[in-house]
Amino acid sequence: MVVLNEIMLEEGGMAINQAIIHHLLGRINDFNEWGLCQVLDLVGRYTASDDQEVFNIMNMLDPVLRTSNSGVVLATIKVFIQLTRHMAHLHAQLYERLKAPILTLLASGTPELAYCLLKHTELLIHRCPGIFDEDYKQFYTKFSEPLHVKYLKIDLMATLANVNNMSDILEELSVYVSDVDAELARRAIQSIGKVGFKLPGGFELGVFEKLIEFLDLEVSYVRAEALLVLKNLLRKYPERRQGVVDVLPRLLRVVEESEAKAAALWMIGEYGEEILEAPYMVEPVIDAYDDESSAAVKLELLTAATKLFFKRPPEMHKMLGRLLAAATNDTSSQDVHDRALLYYRLMKQDLAKASAVLAGNVSLRQVMNGFTEDRDVALNDALFREFNSLSVVYRQTAKAFIAPDKRPRADVAAAMAADQDAGTMAAATAAA
């Protein structure tokens, strides 16, 4: 069977039918672990004739889920997913059934195995949110785990947060912020921010309190990351700004990283009317414009100073003039030069219209449900079709790292059909 399947690989593998599949399933207990994986690969390509056959196959494979081999368990899960892909009403029950064997393997496996299982768990969470929420403590990091496993667990903990477990998860993530590894601390802060985005309105106060606490820590990368996360959260919860703007005056003087400095400038420009010394906070940055090397900081400084000008013109008039003169003569960044020229021409043409464009209604810029780039719905759907493969671990579809001539023709044709369907849907959306 394996030899025949290998010989016919370019045609998509050996031909299968109901008789072959049921014969193999009837002898499922006779195969070793390697043989089980080969059989399950064939079963995953089979299309059942009706719902009853689907249930029969799943019942025969149910004992296989209890094996201790992760490859066999993941192959079985893939078969279940393939068989029920058009039975949406069963998905919640199915994923609940698949949860126990995954958690068992996670608790007993090696770090390498744990990482692979966590990547597949991540995909299941995206497909069925809430399925692992009650088991959030299984995703707490262990001291002996390698960093790549810790990173992934911290990222996943944010997706498991709900109103019932948010306090425990926030406390656990806060512990990681004091870790000696800077990347781990940053990821913990990012996850705390994602918890704030995920929770319904009214439950975000604890997230803001934690992040504001981090601003008082004498650790540069912690302060910087907390500022970046707060900037994004304020776009969804502007009503929580008071606790943040109170500490901004001292933060702008000590923050070192360019992205964090840009985030602080954004807050000053956005809420400058509520900060008494706002114009005098940006003045040293304007005066040191020639010493600033980051284009991101210069761009944010331009926007913040312009917004402040419309809110507090007497104090900002001369400062903004100096800034626009320096930026329009800046040859280090074309973006900075063009933006300064745009702002100057807008204000010269019509101040009222420039104010409406540059410092308009804050509510129109408010983020409601997170950022689109964080969702990756299309990629998650594509990876789900390639479950139990390296695609899930790499977080790339097979066509991104396997040449077409090295893949079965059936896989290449399926990938091309999926791309065509995606293009058709995108065109229809654009036309609508």
Side-chain angles (χ1 to χ4, degrees):
M1 179 187 73
V2 176
V3 173
L4 181 60
N5 199 45
E6 187 71 23
I7 291 173
M8 303 182 67
L9 184 63
E10 290 191 359
E11 285 72 36
M14 64 175 282
I16 52 177
N17 54 39
Q18 188 180 67
I20 292 175
I21 293 301
H22 283 269
H23 173 73
L24 292 171
L25 290 174
R27 301 183 57 189
I28 198 74
N29 294 325
D30 298 337
F31 295 102
N32 59 20
E33 292 171 344
W34 181 84
L36 279 172
C37 288
Q38 299 301 317
V39 171
L40 291 168
D41 182 60
L42 285 179
V43 178
R45 290 164 40 204
Y46 175 66
T47 302
S49 58
D50 53 33
D51 290 356
Q52 187 57 50
E53 187 179 9
V54 169
F55 296 139
N56 291 338
I57 293 175
M58 292 173 68
N59 287 334
M60 285 188 278
L61 289 177
D62 191 69
V64 182
L65 279 176
R66 294 191 287 273
T67 61
S68 59
N69 184 282
S70 60
V72 174
V73 171
L74 287 176
T76 308
I77 291 174
K78 182 176 182 179
V79 171
F80 282 19
I81 290 171
Q82 289 290 96
L83 289 172
T84 60
R85 62 187 181 277
H86 300 306
M87 304 166 71
H89 61 286
L90 291 178
H91 287 174
Q93 292 175 290
L94 172 65
Y95 297 142
E96 186 67 34
R97 175 65 187 89
L98 302 178
K99 182 172 67 172
I102 291 177
L103 291 176
T104 301
L105 290 171
L106 268 176
S108 58
T110 62
E112 294 77 12
L113 175 59
Y115 185 81
C116 178
L117 288 167
L118 285 169
K119 293 298 288 187
H120 284 81
T121 302
E122 179 182 32
L123 207 55
L124 290 173
I125 291 172
H126 284 301
R127 179 52 65 98
C128 188
I131 192 67
F132 287 92
D133 285 6
E134 294 180 358
D135 306 282
Y136 64 94
K137 290 186 178 180
Q138 301 288 333
F139 295 86
Y140 285 2
T141 67
K142 300 173 184 176
F143 178 77
S144 59
E145 288 176 332
L147 285 174
H148 61 279
V149 174
K150 290 183 178 180
Y151 293 163
L152 187 50
K153 281 189 171 182
I154 288 173
D155 293 343
L156 285 177
M157 282 172 65
T159 66
L160 305 177
N162 58 39
V163 295
N164 298 317
N165 62 25
M166 59 166 283
S167 297
D168 290 343
I169 288 179
L170 288 177
E171 286 300 325
E172 183 70 14
L173 289 172
S174 298
V175 172
Y176 305 147
V177 173
S178 58
D179 195 275
V180 294
D181 183 75
E183 179 61 23
L184 190 143
R186 288 180 185 274
R187 284 177 179 260
I189 296 171
Q190 291 166 11
S191 289
I192 289 173
K194 290 175 182 175
V195 171
F197 269 111
K198 187 172 186 281
L199 295 175
F203 290 93
E204 75 284 351
L205 180 59
V207 173
F208 273 89
E209 290 175 346
K210 287 289 182 187
L211 292 171
I212 292 172
E213 286 177 16
F214 299 152
L215 296 177
D216 292 326
L217 298 179
E218 295 297 323
V219 185
S220 59
Y221 58 82
V222 171
R223 276 194 307 238
E225 199 63 42
L227 265 177
L228 288 170
V229 173
L230 280 168
K231 171 195 170 183
N232 290 333
L233 278 173
L234 284 173
R235 293 175 64 183
K236 182 176 182 182
Y237 304 107
E239 66 276 8
R240 299 292 184 188
R241 61 186 176 272
Q242 193 56 53
V244 182
V245 298
D246 288 344
V247 299
L248 272 181
R250 62 180 175 80
L251 281 176
L252 189 60
R253 292 192 296 268
V254 297
V255 72
E256 299 172 1
E257 296 184 16
S258 297
E259 289 186 3
K261 187 182 291 186
L265 288 169
W266 177 87
M267 295 179 200
I268 294 170
E270 202 73 8
Y271 311 114
E273 70 277 13
E274 302 175 24
I275 306 173
L276 183 62
E277 61 267 47
Y280 311 104
M281 291 167 61
V282 299
E283 187 172 21
V285 187
I286 293 173
D287 292 339
Y289 179 89
D290 292 335
D291 300 327
E292 180 58 60
S293 59
S294 170
V297 172
K298 291 178 178 179
L299 289 169
E300 202 58 66
L301 177 61
L302 272 170
T303 304
T306 306
K307 288 179 179 178
L308 276 176
F309 169 74
F310 291 117
K311 296 171 182 178
R312 302 167 70 166
E315 298 160 288
M316 288 300 302
H317 179 71
K318 292 183 179 179
M319 278 187 260
L320 181 60
R322 296 201 306 272
L323 177 60
L324 288 174
T328 50
N329 293 319
D330 190 347
T331 58
S332 65
S333 171
Q334 190 65 43
D335 288 339
V336 173
H337 170 271
D338 290 350
R339 182 174 295 189
L341 207 56
L342 171 66
Y343 288 177
Y344 171 75
R345 289 173 176 171
L346 273 174
M347 289 185 285
K348 184 178 179 181
Q349 183 70 26
D350 191 322
L351 271 177
K353 289 183 179 178
S355 176
V357 171
L358 303 176
N361 192 342
V362 175
S363 63
L364 297 178
R365 303 192 296 272
Q366 188 173 347
V367 176
M368 300 308 295
N369 297 307
F371 298 96
T372 302
E373 58 266 26
D374 293 335
R375 295 173 190 164
D376 286 335
V377 176
L379 177 60
N380 288 330
D381 289 343
L383 293 176
F384 210 71
R385 292 192 292 269
E386 300 180 21
F387 199 87
N388 191 30
S389 71
L390 284 175
S391 298
V392 179
V393 177
Y394 292 163
R395 198 156 176 76
Q396 293 180 324
T397 56
K399 66 179 182 181
F401 59 91
I402 301 179
D405 60 328
K406 302 299 182 183
R407 286 183 281 152
R409 290 179 184 174
D411 289 356
V412 176
M416 292 176 64
D419 288 344
Q420 290 175 355
D421 290 344
T424 303
M425 291 177 64
T429 303

